[in-house]
Amino acid sequence: MTKVSMTINGKSVAGDIEGNTLLSSFLRDEQRLTGTHIGCDTSQCGACVVHVNGRPVKSCTMFAAEAEGAEVSTIEGQANADGSLNVIQQAFQDHHGLQCGFCTPGMVMTAAALLKDNPKPTVSEVREHLEGNICRCTGYHNIVKAIMAASGQDVSAIAAE
């Protein structure tokens, strides 16, 4: 067993883990933060994206021990302080950027990283940034529209599909 400690969504946590425990498993099984979804376990789908020290990471391919001392942010930490949806989450709701919702946490976390680095991306930049995230329901169009709206850009010319 290995001791691990980190800050998750602003809260200090610690635990005893096996050395091969994935960060996604630590979050879901040990911390009960089940918003981080596991879709493939091979870094292909992006449903497990979290932020580690401010950078997006596919948590199914990172050992929890690698996050020792890190600041980890999950979908559960994205809401506003009063519990209301943040601007990205609200845009996903307003622009129908989700259907089944399985990919949504990873999409929101990926979008948050993009908008942090590039506050006014183009449609092409959004699509390129989402390459590592798979959605089987939406066709991505409304996800892109939601991210563009969250960036504060006019999306009225983007046709709904």
Side-chain angles (χ1 to χ4, degrees):
M1 296 294 265
T2 302
K3 286 206 176 291
V4 66
S5 63
M6 62 189 76
T7 302
I8 302 175
N9 300 326
K11 178 183 168 194
S12 293
V13 300
D16 291 321
I17 58 168
E18 296 292 332
N20 63 350
T21 301
L22 296 173
L23 181 57
S24 57
S25 297
F26 180 73
L27 294 170
R28 290 180 58 79
D29 302 338
E30 302 299 323
Q31 301 303 309
R32 302 290 184 232
L33 297 171
T34 57
T36 300
H37 292 165
I38 300 171
C40 67
D41 272 336
T42 60
S43 191
Q44 300 298 309
C45 75
C48 68
V49 172
V50 299
H51 296 174
V52 177
N53 294 328
R55 305 303 310 160
V57 171
K58 291 182 178 178
S59 63
C60 76
T61 56
M62 179 179 185
F63 292 118
E66 293 178 280
E68 171 64 32
E71 296 274 339
V72 177
S73 180
T74 69
I75 190 67
E76 290 89 350
Q78 294 303 296
N80 294 320
D82 66 0
S84 63
L85 300 178
N86 76 11
V87 68
I88 298 168
Q89 293 169 314
Q90 189 64 55
F92 268 70
Q93 180 177 346
D94 293 345
H95 296 281
H96 310 289
L98 56 103
Q99 285 183 21
C100 81
F102 192 80
C103 72
T104 304
M107 290 287 189
V108 168
M109 297 303 289
T110 298
L114 168 63
L115 296 179
K116 178 182 168 205
D117 292 341
N118 184 356
K120 298 288 183 196
T122 64
V123 168
S124 175
E125 289 169 330
V126 170
R127 288 188 178 280
E128 182 179 321
H129 200 79
L130 292 176
E131 278 187 11
N133 293 74
I134 295 174
C135 176
R136 296 172 191 248
C137 301
T138 68
Y140 301 92
H141 185 78
N142 288 340
I143 292 171
V144 172
K145 187 174 183 178
I147 295 169
M148 295 297 289
S151 75
Q153 298 183 68
D154 180 15
V155 295
S156 61
I158 300 175
E161 286 186 7

